[in-house]
Amino acid sequence: MSENNAPHNDETALSAALHPGRQPALTGCPWHDVNEMLQAAGLRPTRQRMALGWLLFGKGARHLTAEMLYEEATLAKVPVSLATVYNTLNQLTDAGLLRQVSVDGTKTYFDTNVTTHHHYYLENSHELVDIPDPHLALSKMPDVPDGYEIARIDMVVRLRKKR
């Protein structure tokens, strides 16, 4: 099973995730597209956001932890602290450009694919992988307490190699 590496330039999915207003004019150039995505989401395209966005969105749909992105940034000679990486990931999530997926109480992944989908978590390799079935559905939902509504459902199916 491998992660979906299709380019993440689907304007329809991205537009649905962004706040109403100016829609990004995506060209397929990662640097230009990150700039457009940030501006359309109301975020200033600072050097650090641009560099981290380029690392995040320039390689197709991905699942990364803050530590993984920090390591990539360090290897790419992007001068950022781990705190800046966390802050940027949270800002991008709040702006609708990333989706946060919690696997344990201690491990959080950031998904560049913000469309509705679920995940496999490969316990042996600590990898998060999209479930390819778009028709996957829960058959029974719990009753929601008065005054609340379901914001999103995240299903993570944990897998491990057979012994």
Side-chain angles (χ1 to χ4, degrees), residues 85-156:
V85 171
Y86 271 104
N87 289 337
T88 301
L89 289 170
N90 287 321
Q91 291 164 353
L92 294 173
T93 300
D94 291 344
L97 297 174
L98 292 176
R99 181 175 170 186
Q100 196 171 345
V101 181
S102 295
V103 175
D104 302 349
T106 60
K107 193 160 233 157
T108 299
Y109 287 85
F110 293 87
D111 191 347
T112 60
N113 177 359
V114 295
T115 62
T116 301
H117 66 285
H118 303 288
H119 296 94
Y120 289 122
Y121 178 67
L122 309 180
E123 290 182 337
N124 302 75
S125 61
H126 305 285
E127 185 180 356
L128 198 64
V129 179
D130 289 346
I131 293 178
D133 186 357
H135 304 292
L136 183 67
L138 299 173
S139 61
K140 176 92 172 95
M141 294 300 298
D143 292 330
V144 178
D146 288 340
Y148 289 91
E149 65 183 4
I150 296 173
R152 183 175 97 200
I153 298 171
D154 290 324
M155 182 170 48
V156 177

Side-chain angles (χ1 to χ4, degrees), residues 15-49:
S15 296
L18 297 175
H19 302 292
R22 183 172 89 69
Q23 297 301 318
L26 303 181
T27 65
C29 169
W31 193 257
H32 174 271
D33 289 353
V34 167
N35 183 38
E36 285 290 313
M37 290 164 59
L38 290 171
Q39 289 190 37
L43 294 172
R44 200 165 50 88
T46 64
R47 269 186 281 152
Q48 289 177 323
R49 282 187 191 139

